[in-house]
Amino acid sequence: MINILIVDDQKHIRDGLQAMLRQFPLQLDNIYCAVNGIEALGILSQHNIQLVITDIRMPDMDGLTLMAQSKQKHIEVDYLIISGYSDFAYAQKAIELGAKGYLLKPVKREDLQTAVEHVANEIKTRQTLSRNMEHISRRARETDRKELSMFMQGAMIDEAWVIQTQQQNPELWSNYRLCLLREELWINQPGADSSHSMESLAYRVYGRRGCICLQHRPYLILAVDAAVDTGAFPAALKAGQIDAITAMTSPQQGLKELPRSYTQALELYRHSYLFPEKSCILPTHIERLEQQWELPYEELYVLFQLIGTKNSGTITQGISMIFHKDTLQRYHIQYTQQLCRAIVQMLEESVRVIRPYMGEEALDIECLRNLFDYPGIRDYIQALQQQLLRLNQFYYEYKCSYRNSQDLNEAIRFIHESYHKPLDLAMVSNHVSLNYAYFSNLFKKNIGKGFAEYLRDVRLDKARRLLAETDHKIVEVATMVGYESYKSFTRSFRDVMDMQPTEYRQMMRRKHDSGEKYRDTAL
């Protein structure tokens, strides 16, 4: 598909050429028209034109001047010229300027089609070659980038490769910095990766010869001209509304220093977690950080002693104090990493105690092992607080469950010892020192039936034994198992057993007598 521009000061010629072009079996995109060279230059600067068909003689700017000026402006376009017999000398000059051919007036349909098809084939061939060359060039650049990236990360590469690669861009490798960029995103924040946008901005700031991309993921790493002010690129990112943390190494001389510079870039990147207020981290920001420290184990022990209490607010405050910005920014990033590991270990020890009681519930301790999995230190602290508060809740419920089981065991023991006495829920809850309503709910939740139902079943179980094994009167049995009246006892017994107490006694005695006769026969 090609775009064509027709330039002629006579409208009927423009219209005629346009009509003929549309009849040809050619894949044309757009056909533009201009009345002279000046208008044609404007169209050429605004649109991607591949072929210009122009008259030589025109007012204001003729065809030859149009060709010369488009060449001066580095506009890549092919020309076919239209001329009369008397303009043949002009036509020769046009061909010297690069015209692909000329057409005599009046233009014949067959001549126009032949000339346009010839130029169109040349254009398509060049476009195909250009695409192939671009593809080859892109693959070569990608290969070079991968080799540089491997060398940067410590791969052993021979000396000849280092010398050859350095000679490809000696100006840059004589004085460069590594620039590592980490885009500021929240966890699970949707949105496209901006690494290519950041790379494009870098080329604008440093120029094509002053910037090389070494890595796109997991973060963008560029080698940039160290002579450019360190604030220029962060300022361009801010102007482009890209929120990114930039870590810039000290100036390096020579490609051999690339691995060492990479190590420094990673260290600066890790330290960016300590300085979330800084958009650009430089070696000067970390050179005075203390290298010796003691972890605050006493504060950690105090914090974990709060686990299992109702002091969730105090736990949150405790984490905030342990990870206070002023403390973290005093020390090398390894202090913060060791602090994270110590807390994870204490979490694991706490979880081991209550794991059998957690069921399918669990803490996500794995998510806390690596600080650098998070967009920033604040996100890590928030995740740590969430897991500690979950542990606190588990521990609290575990302790409550343990206390409740002791209280319930004592309540059941008391019921079995006192069933024959006047007994109600208030008396039992007072015995175990629990709130009446709380004990009622706790009892039903854990025993599976309410207190009154449980007491009734205990009493009737005792009554069945007395009826089967003794000769006490029914009214005596009722009193012995805690019923105040014969009537209430028989009603409860009938509701549960679906028979009267006397019927139950008779049934049990018949079974007993049958058993005795069977044993006598056997003997």
Side-chain angles (χ1 to χ4, degrees), residues 154-403:
M156 297 298 294
I157 297 182
D158 59 75
E159 183 77 16
W161 177 89
V162 173
I163 295 172
Q164 179 184 356
T165 303
Q166 186 167 291
Q167 288 175 347
Q168 291 175 2
N169 197 345
E171 296 85 2
L172 174 64
W173 296 120
S174 65
N175 186 31
Y176 66 95
R177 301 176 189 269
L178 279 195
C179 183
L180 185 151
L181 293 107
R182 173 171 63 88
E183 190 173 8
E184 290 190 292
L185 296 173
W186 298 100
I187 293 177
N188 298 326
Q189 174 181 334
D193 183 6
S194 297
S195 60
H196 292 288
S197 299
M198 293 189 288
E199 183 181 355
S200 298
L201 276 175
Y203 284 120
R204 260 186 259 168
V205 172
Y206 298 101
R208 283 284 165 185
R209 300 294 294 175
C211 178
I212 293 178
C213 176
L214 303 175
Q215 177 180 292
H216 282 115
R217 290 181 178 84
Y219 23 70
L220 183 65
I221 298 181
L222 307 167
V224 300
D225 186 357
V228 177
D229 183 74
T230 56
F233 189 30
L237 291 170
K238 185 176 181 181
Q241 297 183 333
I242 297 177
D243 293 326
I245 297 297
T246 309
M248 285 192 180
T249 67
S250 54
Q252 306 293 329
Q253 287 77 40
L255 188 58
K256 286 185 178 181
E257 297 298 315
L258 186 59
R260 191 176 72 84
S261 187
Y262 175 68
T263 301
Q264 185 185 46
L266 291 179
E267 184 177 23
L268 289 169
Y269 156 71
R270 289 192 289 267
H271 279 87
S272 69
Y273 279 74
L274 302 182
F275 303 96
E277 71 280 0
K278 295 184 183 297
S279 61
C280 183
I281 304 295
L282 300 170
T284 54
H285 293 137
I286 68 171
E287 61 187 12
R288 295 184 180 180
L289 296 180
E290 297 180 29
Q291 299 284 341
Q292 294 181 343
W293 55 77
E294 290 185 4
L295 292 179
Y297 283 111
E298 290 187 10
E299 289 87 341
L300 290 175
Y301 292 140
V302 170
L303 176 68
F304 274 82
Q305 285 175 354
L306 295 172
I307 299 296
T309 68
K310 294 184 177 181
N311 298 317
S312 58
T314 308
I315 293 172
T316 301
Q317 292 175 2
I319 285 292
S320 297
M321 289 304 299
I322 290 171
F323 283 87
H324 196 278
K325 179 181 69 173
D326 293 342
T327 302
L328 300 185
Q329 290 181 352
R330 282 178 54 194
Y331 303 113
H332 191 277
I333 187 63
Q334 288 182 359
Y335 169 83
T336 303
Q337 291 178 272
Q338 290 180 10
L339 183 59
C340 294
R341 284 196 290 269
I343 291 180
V344 167
Q345 289 174 358
M346 297 179 80
L347 274 170
E348 288 176 329
E349 292 172 3
S350 299
V351 168
R352 274 194 288 269
V353 175
I354 63 167
R355 182 169 289 151
Y357 309 94
M358 293 173 65
E360 296 183 358
E361 296 286 345
L363 292 184
D364 187 7
I365 297 179
E366 290 300 317
C367 76
L368 301 174
R369 295 195 185 279
N370 188 3
L371 165 65
F372 307 116
D373 287 341
Y374 291 81
I377 186 72
R378 296 188 185 97
D379 306 279
Y380 181 85
I381 294 172
Q382 184 179 8
L384 176 59
Q385 288 175 340
Q386 289 175 350
Q387 296 304 317
L388 270 174
L389 292 177
R390 287 193 70 200
L391 176 63
N392 180 61
Q393 183 64 27
F394 286 140
Y395 239 102
Y396 181 74
E397 291 176 357
Y398 160 69
K399 290 165 69 175
C400 289
S401 175
Y402 179 75
R403 287 195 300 267

